[in-house]
């Protein structure tokens, strides 16, 4: 493939990843890795390096918008970031010794899980729950403004449980080069009972940090190729900007379902390619 | 004097979120601008070349040129006006942005005298730093 053909394909892929990412919450890696490996037939390691870059771009791009609204809980993010960065070190270590066909198979399974979580995502109201002792010590309980501008107070539970799932999310991130946002939201929303809005924005903040921790390693190993990174960075940032602008005006339920199905199909192909050692 | 100092700290605290938002936006724009510029240079230097990223078996040598794997190598390349090195500088800025954000948060916690969170943010920074040192 010539360079002149590759650039527009990656630029378009980046716009799609940023656009879909900001509308559905699916991270950049979930779209970029299948695009590079299955559609373009590139080596999985280059795809992982490129995906990490996209994850950081999506996360920082969106975080700049969310912070102004004061929804992100920095204390929760920082505390759990200890778990995800430690996990990321572990994941990057495993990646050094694990054959890439197994990485492809694990990636396929994680994709299916992420797709299922995205399709089934719902924004339910919660009753006030009592705060756990650890969350008081760590000052994790907080407030956020709801749609009409009222201040909603929330408490946090099961910090230890959330911390363990976050470690797993970190391992997957270091191993696969994804932000593993779906696991982060699972830990915060389902286990720690943090409100949906706070979980998603805090997860988004954390994705950038975890991906940066893994990216320094992948850069030093030479898995981050400038010709792949450049069009993706520019594409993802423009796509995320577009998505954030039309997000308030669209119903994303069908879009989530559509991409849930597409990504599940990609996942099955990924697992198949892993088994036949074609990655 | 003390009063002025206190007022200054209060203002910093109030604006911390705003500054973090600005830092992220500027980091993104700088990373984006640097890589676009590098991309244009790269295109001039490599136009018409064919690229090959097809799978390579795990035992073979793999990855981009050594000069694109370290900060010193990247700066050497920039001095030679190498497009790939300029893009890679954009990538480094992109990776540094979320890490700088933690540094910024830890300063905010120092101002707030929240020592528990100063310790937590410094732990996260230490893990990232050790990761960089050990796993290369």
């Amino acid at each position: 493939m010539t360079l002149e053909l590759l650039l527009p394909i990656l630029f378009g892929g980046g716009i799609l990843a940023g656009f879909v990412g900001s509308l559905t919450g699916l991270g950049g890696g979930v779209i970029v890795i299948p695009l590079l490996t299955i559609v373009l037939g590139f080596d999985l390691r280059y795809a992982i390096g490129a995906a990490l870059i996209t994850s950081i771009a999506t996360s920082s791009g969106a975080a700049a918008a969310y912070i102004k609204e004061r929804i992100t809980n920095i204390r929760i993010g920082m505390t759990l970031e200890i778990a995800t960065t430690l996990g990321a070190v572990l994941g990057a270590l495993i990646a050094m010794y694990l054959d890439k066909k197994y990485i492809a198979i694990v990636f396929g399974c994680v994709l299916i899980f992420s797709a299922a979580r995205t399709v089934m995502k719902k924004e339910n109201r919660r009753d006030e729950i009592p705060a756990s002792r650890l969350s008081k010590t760590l000052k994790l309980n907080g407030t956020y403004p709801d749609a009409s501008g009222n201040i909603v107070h929330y408490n946090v539970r099961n910090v230890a449980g959330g911390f363990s799932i976050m470690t797993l999310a970190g391992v997957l991130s270091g191993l696969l080069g994804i932000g593993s946002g779906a696991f982060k939201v699972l830990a915060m929303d389902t286990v720690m009972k943090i409100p949906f809005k706070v979980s998603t924005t805090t997860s988004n903040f954390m994705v950038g940090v975890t991906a940066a921790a893994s990216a320094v390693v992948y850069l030093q190993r030479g898995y981050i190729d400038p010709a792949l990174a450049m069009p993706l960075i520019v594409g993802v940032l423009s796509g995320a900007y577009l998505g954030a602008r039309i997000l308030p005006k669209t119903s994303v339920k069908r879009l989530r379902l559509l991409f849930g199905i597409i990504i599940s199909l990609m996942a099955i192909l990924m697992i198949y390619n892993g088994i036949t050692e074609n990655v | 004097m003390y009063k002025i100092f206190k007022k200054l700290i209060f203002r910093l605290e109030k604006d911390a979120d705003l500054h973090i938002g600005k830092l992220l936006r500027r980091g993104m724009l700088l990373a984006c601008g640097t890589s676009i510029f590098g991309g244009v240079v790269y295109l001039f230097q490599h136009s018409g070349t064919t690229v090959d990223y097809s799978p390579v078996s795990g035992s073979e040598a793999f990855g981009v040129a050594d000069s694109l794997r370290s900060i010193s190598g990247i700066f050497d390349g920039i001095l030679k006006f190498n497009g790939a090195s300029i893009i890679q500088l954009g990538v480094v800025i992109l990776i540094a942005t979320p890490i700088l954000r933690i540094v910024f948060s830890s300063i905010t916690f120092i101002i707030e005298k929240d020592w528990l969170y100063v310790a937590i943010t410094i732990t996260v920074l230490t893990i990232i730093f050790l990761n960089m040192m050990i796993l290369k």
Side-chain angles (χ1 to χ4, degrees), chain A residues 83-165:
Chain A
T84 55
T85 45
L86 272 178
V89 178
L90 205 66
L93 260 178
I94 297 172
M96 280 164 96
Y97 299 103
L98 196 67
D99 193 291
K100 56 184 171 149
K101 72 172 178 179
Y102 298 111
I103 297 180
I105 295 169
V106 175
F107 185 79
C109 300
V110 171
L111 269 189
I112 291 175
F113 173 82
S114 303
R117 289 276 308 176
T118 307
V119 173
M120 290 184 297
K121 195 185 268 182
K122 47 178 185 250
E123 299 180 37
N124 45 348
R125 287 180 71 93
R126 286 171 198 286
D127 301 325
E128 187 81 7
I129 47 148
S132 73
R133 243 180 60 204
L134 193 54
S135 77
K136 277 185 199 155
T137 319
L138 290 168
K139 290 173 279 188
L140 298 180
N141 307 309
T143 55
Y144 72 95
D146 68 5
S148 45
N150 301 317
I151 300 294
V152 183
H153 183 86
Y154 59 91
N155 288 325
V156 176
R157 293 208 61 79
N158 200 354
V159 179
F163 201 84
S164 357
I165 297 184

Side-chain angles (χ1 to χ4, degrees), chain A residues 1 3-4 42-43 45 67 70 74-75 79 100 138-140 205 213 220-222 224-225 230 279, chain B residues 17 20 28 35 47-51 53 55-56 62-64 69 88 94 101-102 114 117 131-132 136:
Chain A
M1 187 183 292
L3 194 61
E4 279 78 2
F42 292 173
D43 193 288
R45 290 167 288 184
I67 283 184
R70 294 173 187 274
I74 303 279
R75 285 197 166 84
T79 306
K100 56 184 171 149
L138 290 168
K139 290 173 279 188
L140 298 180
F205 154 64
Q220 287 170 313
R221 281 199 213 140
I224 295 178
D225 187 286
M230 191 274 291
V279 281
Chain B
D17 287 353
I20 291 178
M28 283 305 97
S35 39
S47 83
T49 44
T50 315
V51 288
Y53 295 106
V56 170
F62 179 83
V64 297
R69 299 183 187 196
Q88 209 75 332
L94 186 83
R101 184 185 170 179
I102 304 184
D114 189 338
Y117 275 88
N131 187 16
M132 198 159 71
K136 62 179 176 189

